[in-house]
Short mmCIF file of all heavy atoms in Angstrom, two decimals:
data_model
loop_
_atom_site.label_atom_id
_atom_site.label_comp_id
_atom_site.label_asym_id
_atom_site.label_seq_id
_atom_site.Cartn_x
_atom_site.Cartn_y
_atom_site.Cartn_z
N MET A 160 -37.38 3.23 -1.00
CA MET A 160 -36.12 3.86 -0.36
C MET A 160 -36.22 3.77 1.13
O MET A 160 -37.35 3.98 1.71
CB MET A 160 -36.05 5.32 -0.82
CG MET A 160 -34.89 6.10 -0.16
SD MET A 160 -34.74 7.72 -0.89
CE MET A 160 -33.26 7.62 -1.73
N VAL A 161 -35.11 3.41 1.72
CA VAL A 161 -34.99 3.32 3.27
C VAL A 161 -34.01 4.35 3.62
O VAL A 161 -32.89 4.45 3.08
CB VAL A 161 -34.53 1.95 3.56
CG1 VAL A 161 -34.46 1.72 5.12
CG2 VAL A 161 -35.47 0.73 3.05
N LEU A 162 -34.39 5.14 4.68
CA LEU A 162 -33.65 6.22 5.13
C LEU A 162 -33.22 6.12 6.58
O LEU A 162 -34.09 5.69 7.39
CB LEU A 162 -34.33 7.56 4.99
CG LEU A 162 -34.78 7.97 3.66
CD1 LEU A 162 -35.91 9.06 3.75
CD2 LEU A 162 -33.67 8.38 2.73
N ALA A 163 -31.98 6.39 6.94
CA ALA A 163 -31.63 6.45 8.33
C ALA A 163 -32.28 7.70 8.96
O ALA A 163 -32.39 8.72 8.30
CB ALA A 163 -30.10 6.49 8.50
N PRO A 164 -32.70 7.60 10.23
CA PRO A 164 -33.34 8.83 10.78
C PRO A 164 -32.44 10.06 10.78
O PRO A 164 -32.89 11.19 10.84
CB PRO A 164 -33.79 8.33 12.19
CG PRO A 164 -32.94 7.14 12.43
CD PRO A 164 -32.56 6.51 11.17
N ASP A 165 -31.13 9.89 11.07
CA ASP A 165 -30.17 10.98 11.17
C ASP A 165 -28.76 10.27 11.12
O ASP A 165 -28.58 9.05 10.96
CB ASP A 165 -30.35 11.72 12.49
CG ASP A 165 -30.30 10.86 13.71
OD1 ASP A 165 -29.39 10.12 13.87
OD2 ASP A 165 -31.20 10.90 14.56
N ASN A 166 -27.66 11.21 11.09
CA ASN A 166 -26.35 10.71 10.99
C ASN A 166 -25.76 10.12 12.19
O ASN A 166 -24.67 9.56 12.22
CB ASN A 166 -25.37 11.84 10.51
CG ASN A 166 -25.57 12.15 9.12
OD1 ASN A 166 -25.93 11.31 8.24
ND2 ASN A 166 -25.30 13.40 8.70
N GLN A 167 -26.53 10.06 13.38
CA GLN A 167 -26.06 9.39 14.54
C GLN A 167 -26.69 7.97 14.61
O GLN A 167 -26.25 7.21 15.31
CB GLN A 167 -26.65 10.14 15.81
CG GLN A 167 -26.06 11.58 15.79
CD GLN A 167 -24.51 11.63 15.68
OE1 GLN A 167 -23.79 10.99 16.41
NE2 GLN A 167 -24.07 12.47 14.79
N ASN A 168 -27.61 7.60 13.87
CA ASN A 168 -28.30 6.39 13.86
C ASN A 168 -28.32 5.78 12.44
O ASN A 168 -29.38 5.61 11.76
CB ASN A 168 -29.75 6.55 14.38
CG ASN A 168 -29.81 6.94 15.86
OD1 ASN A 168 -29.37 6.18 16.70
ND2 ASN A 168 -30.13 8.16 16.05
N LEU A 169 -27.12 5.33 11.94
CA LEU A 169 -27.09 4.80 10.53
C LEU A 169 -27.61 3.41 10.53
O LEU A 169 -27.78 2.74 11.59
CB LEU A 169 -25.61 4.95 10.17
CG LEU A 169 -25.08 6.37 10.16
CD1 LEU A 169 -23.61 6.31 9.76
CD2 LEU A 169 -25.84 7.23 9.22
N LEU A 170 -27.80 2.94 9.30
CA LEU A 170 -28.40 1.68 9.14
C LEU A 170 -27.38 0.61 8.71
O LEU A 170 -26.36 0.95 8.09
CB LEU A 170 -29.40 1.78 7.95
CG LEU A 170 -30.59 2.80 8.14
CD1 LEU A 170 -31.36 2.84 6.82
CD2 LEU A 170 -31.44 2.37 9.34
N GLU A 171 -27.70 -0.61 8.88
CA GLU A 171 -26.98 -1.76 8.15
C GLU A 171 -28.07 -2.40 7.37
O GLU A 171 -29.12 -2.76 7.86
CB GLU A 171 -26.46 -2.85 9.29
CG GLU A 171 -25.29 -2.41 10.00
CD GLU A 171 -24.51 -3.53 10.60
OE1 GLU A 171 -24.38 -4.62 9.92
OE2 GLU A 171 -23.99 -3.36 11.72
N VAL A 172 -27.73 -2.50 6.09
CA VAL A 172 -28.84 -2.94 5.10
C VAL A 172 -28.19 -3.99 4.19
O VAL A 172 -26.93 -4.05 4.01
CB VAL A 172 -29.30 -1.80 4.32
CG1 VAL A 172 -30.05 -0.80 5.11
CG2 VAL A 172 -28.21 -1.13 3.44
#
Side-chain angles (χ1 to χ4, degrees):
M160 178 179 245
V161 179
L162 305 163
D165 55 51
N166 283 332
Q167 303 304 312
N168 295 288
L169 301 177
L170 303 172
E171 281 198 42
V172 298

